[in-house]
Amino acid sequence: MYRRATGRRAGLIVGMAFVNSPDLELGRFTTDELANAIAFYEDEVGSSGLPLLTASELGNVANGHKLDQRYRRLRRARSIKGRTWGTRLMRIAEQNATPSGAEPRAA
């Protein structure tokens, strides 16, 4: 979503622009990794004690927005999107980083 500025700021883009191709969550993480990230996320935000979500419960979602919708429906909770979620995903990415020159791992 974006809006072009007008007047003396013409040519500038204001607002939000989302350019993740492939999608951050589904393009870079397996469903098992996302289920693991959700478990850690819930611990960090004080929702521990809930049964763990499985990869099959998350199912085949098309993108991060659909994953968030599925999570909210399954947990009857707020969105997982935010700083805590992003931090958790980056920790998983760091743990599973492909060494320089190596073939990327299969999803």
Side-chain angles (χ1 to χ4, degrees), residues 4-104:
R4 289 201 179 271
T6 58
R8 63 173 213 228
R9 292 189 176 173
L12 298 176
I13 297 176
V14 296
M16 293 184 281
F18 300 100
V19 185
N20 286 328
S21 182
D23 180 76
L24 175 65
E25 285 93 345
L26 282 293
R28 294 177 176 84
F29 299 96
T30 66
T31 310
D32 286 331
E33 288 171 332
L34 292 171
N36 183 29
I38 288 171
F40 279 104
Y41 167 83
E42 290 178 336
D43 281 343
E44 289 179 24
V45 298
S47 297
S48 58
L50 296 171
L52 297 176
L53 291 176
T54 65
S56 62
E57 286 176 302
L58 297 176
N60 287 330
V61 290
N63 56 48
H65 178 71
K66 297 287 185 189
L67 173 69
D68 187 48
Q69 287 179 327
R70 174 83 44 93
Y71 174 80
R72 287 184 288 150
R73 192 186 80 231
L74 290 170
R75 290 295 201 222
R76 292 185 171 89
R78 292 183 180 176
S79 173
I80 56 176
K81 299 288 193 157
R83 185 179 194 143
T84 303
W85 175 247
T87 300
R88 175 51 50 197
L89 289 179
M90 290 307 102
R91 286 183 186 155
I92 291 173
E94 289 170 352
Q95 292 170 356
N96 297 321
T98 303
S100 180
E103 288 294 317

